[in-house]
Amino acid sequence: MTSLRIPAIAVMLLGLTACGSGGGLGGLGGLLGGRSTCNPGTQVQLARPGSGQSGVNGNLGSIEIVANGSSDALHYSPNQWTLQLVDTFNNQTITTGQLSPASDTSGPHPFTQDFYYSGSLQQQLPQGTTWSVRLVNSSTYCTPDAFDSFST
């Protein structure tokens, strides 16, 4: 029985290290307290509502982002990503559904190659709040990456 323990532990550790995205410790970084940032591998900014926009109606229904290019983790697996909205005053957190590719010909075009992704909101956002927008990768143990904000 003990002869099976060592290979089983090695397989578990190998699997954990495959999940990480940096920090030299791979997936073990999360277990040891040093989680890497959820990095999509490209530049990202808010599209709808706009980057830094204020007075946004809280009944949005969805949040849309625009990313630079198509050779990144976000483009290859958008359904593994969500957006997390964090109220900068009282830390209330609201998470969108999985991101999916979106078509937005009239959206902002901040990059050379613009790719749009949208995540649905299941609730109305309270008015008078500033929201920090973060990317979260549901398939890895990483720290959400804050990249933009807006106010309702």
Side-chain angles (χ1 to χ4, degrees):
M1 185 69 138
T2 36
S3 63
L4 293 177
R5 285 186 191 159
I6 292 174
I9 291 171
V11 167
M12 285 176 28
L13 289 175
L14 183 60
L16 287 173
T17 57
C19 293
S21 60
L25 294 173
L28 291 177
L31 293 175
L32 302 175
R35 294 194 301 179
S36 59
T37 302
C38 297
N39 184 347
T42 190
Q43 297 169 295
V44 178
Q45 81 174 42
L46 276 171
R48 298 190 191 280
S51 177
Q53 187 175 346
S54 61
V56 174
N57 182 332
N59 194 16
L60 292 170
S62 67
I63 302 287
E64 184 180 280
I65 61 172
V66 56
N68 183 11
S70 62
S71 59
D72 53 79
L74 179 59
H75 184 78
Y76 289 115
S77 57
N79 62 336
Q80 291 181 356
W81 296 85
T82 60
L83 296 173
Q84 186 181 73
L85 309 178
V86 180
D87 177 339
T88 59
F89 180 70
N90 66 16
N91 241 13
Q92 174 187 5
T93 301
I94 297 173
T95 303
T96 68
Q98 296 174 335
L99 295 183
S100 58
S103 175
D104 192 345
T105 54
S106 63
H109 295 284
F111 308 117
T112 349
Q113 293 183 357
D114 299 315
F115 288 83
Y116 298 89
Y117 305 91
S118 180
S120 62
L121 285 170
Q122 300 302 316
Q123 67 188 81
Q124 185 170 338
L125 303 177
Q127 288 302 121
T129 304
T130 299
W131 298 94
S132 173
V133 183
R134 302 172 181 188
L135 266 172
V136 180
N137 186 318
S138 60
S139 69
T140 62
Y141 186 68
C142 57
T143 302
D145 186 18
F147 66 90
D148 220 328
S149 65
F150 69 95
S151 301
T152 52

